[in-house]
Amino acid sequence: MPDPVIGTLKELSVELAKKQDVLVDSLTEDTPVLNVIPFEPATHELWNVYENVNTISGGGFVDIDSPLEDITADTKLNRVDLKIMSGRMFCPQDKAVAYGGKEKYFAKREPLAFRYLGQETEANVIYNNFRQYALDHGKKLNAGGTGDTNYCLLAVRFERGVTTGLYAPAARDKGKLFNIEALNGGNLYEHPDTKVPGYGVMIKGYFGIQLASPKCLAGIFNIDIANSKLPTAKQVDELLMMVRKSKDTYLFCHPEVMTVLADVGKGGGYRMGPDEMRVNREIEKWNNVPIVVSWNFKDGAEENESFA
């Protein structure tokens, strides 16, 4: 059995789906967070099964010629369902004629569609996966904001089989991360809403996010920049301790939050770093942890989180 292919979406496109390389470039063009997440194949086509170790005991140092102690582990199987990164495109019949055929129309629109799809997916990952997981597991620090005009700062430590992106293993066999199929067999049909005659295509890719340990994800919440409720340098350091920072740890935030970090971290943890291949730009760091900013974070519009 071949070794699993693990990497970012860009790396996967190079390894598994060379013909979709340009589309994946469009997908990750405005998605800095999505662009650094490592992905690995799921155990099944539509879900991934993994094992959590609840407790482990036994073993240790013993004298020469002494009996060995048994190592016992209490484990639990868990499952993460993949979701569909998907969308539809419609080409009115008259535009198909003007473009010299529906194929040319869709080829011109595909990069734009994938760019939008990437932005929507990244926002979903930020808020419905990373941010919500930190809140659900009490891995949170309070910057002190009291209204609903907040930002957050998230720390994520990626670990194979624990905190990771997932993709359907069929991608290896099919040589593509996304299926792009003609609707109605490529034949003319009426759009269900506008009743305009035309042609359609459907985009589908099966992906997921696995978050299997609260030791890998945490956040600072209620950052209200307008009212000077800001994270302290000590809180950022504590945040990284909460996720047991390693070389695969990132800080994710809105660009406005990074401006704040530059101020609170002067002479301390914050500094400029050299170019890194996986981020592909000169980036900022906090104690050697890359800070990745994204406009797909809400701009001072996050609701207040309770710390009662």
Side-chain angles (χ1 to χ4, degrees):
M1 186 174 180
D3 292 333
V5 178
I6 299 172
T8 63
L9 288 175
K10 175 61 178 175
E11 291 165 344
L12 291 179
S13 71
V14 171
E15 185 69 23
L16 300 177
K18 293 181 176 63
K19 291 183 179 180
Q20 295 187 332
D21 193 39
V22 174
L23 295 181
V24 174
D25 279 346
S26 298
L27 182 80
T28 58
E29 182 178 350
D30 293 323
T31 57
V33 174
L34 197 63
N35 202 25
V36 300
I37 297 174
F39 283 78
E40 58 187 79
T43 57
H44 299 74
E45 285 307 311
L46 297 180
W47 67 86
N48 187 67
V49 176
Y50 66 95
E51 188 174 33
N52 262 355
V53 178
N54 297 324
T55 60
I56 187 167
S57 60
F61 287 107
V62 297
D63 294 331
I64 300 296
D65 294 330
S66 297
L68 303 182
E69 295 182 11
D70 291 331
I71 298 177
T72 60
D74 174 27
T75 65
K76 179 183 178 181
L77 286 179
N78 294 280
R79 168 174 157 167
V80 176
D81 291 328
L82 301 187
K83 294 187 177 182
I84 305 173
M85 197 185 298
S86 63
R88 291 180 298 182
M89 291 190 294
F90 183 77
C91 173
Q93 184 183 29
D94 293 335
K95 282 192 176 180
V97 173
Y99 272 81
K102 60 182 184 295
E103 293 81 9
K104 290 184 178 180
Y105 177 89
F106 288 130
K108 190 173 182 64
R109 289 294 188 271
E110 277 177 356
L112 180 63
F114 270 80
R115 184 178 176 184
Y116 175 78
L117 183 59
Q119 292 171 335
E120 290 294 300
T121 299
E122 179 170 282
N124 188 282
V125 169
I126 289 171
Y127 285 98
N128 295 335
N129 290 274
F130 293 165
R131 188 179 187 276
Q132 193 59 50
Y133 188 85
L135 291 170
D136 290 345
H137 291 82
K139 304 290 288 201
K140 57 184 184 177
L141 299 172
N142 189 6
T146 57
D148 292 328
T149 55
N150 302 304
Y151 299 88
C152 68
L153 173 65
L154 302 174
V156 182
R157 175 170 58 85
F158 295 107
E159 181 180 338
R160 182 174 174 180
V162 181
T163 305
T164 182
L166 301 167
Y167 68 91
R172 174 191 286 275
D173 302 325
K174 295 180 179 180
K176 54 186 178 181
L177 295 172
F178 294 91
N179 294 317
I180 303 176
E181 300 177 6
L183 295 173
N184 196 40
N187 299 314
L188 193 69
Y189 69 98
E190 282 191 351
H191 191 283
D193 296 327
T194 64
K195 305 304 179 184
V196 172
Y199 309 91
V201 295
M202 175 178 60
I203 302 168
K204 273 190 177 183
Y206 295 92
F207 299 91
I209 299 293
Q210 178 174 299
L211 305 174
S213 173
K215 296 176 182 177
C216 292
L217 208 154
I220 300 177
F221 301 93
N222 300 336
I223 301 172
D224 189 345
I225 296 175
N227 292 295
S228 300
K229 300 298 183 181
L230 311 176
T232 64
K234 183 177 180 180
Q235 282 183 315
V236 180
D237 289 339
E238 184 179 352
L239 181 70
L240 294 175
M241 291 293 289
M242 290 169 72
V243 300
R244 302 184 179 188
K245 73 166 185 172
S246 70
K247 63 181 180 63
D248 294 313
T249 302
Y250 291 88
L251 288 167
F252 297 130
C253 62
H254 188 278
E256 292 283 1
V257 176
M258 188 171 65
T259 301
V260 169
L261 293 181
D263 290 334
V264 301
K266 285 179 179 177
Y270 180 89
R271 66 181 181 83
M272 292 292 294
D275 288 349
E276 289 202 359
M277 291 179 62
R278 294 186 70 181
V279 182
N280 200 30
R281 59 184 289 266
E282 188 175 36
I283 62 170
E284 290 74 15
K285 293 184 175 182
W286 188 282
N287 287 336
N288 292 323
V289 174
I291 305 168
V292 179
V293 301
S294 172
W295 293 103
N296 293 312
F297 278 88
K298 295 179 181 179
D299 188 2
E302 294 181 7
E303 64 183 23
N304 187 264
E305 300 298 338
S306 174
F307 279 78

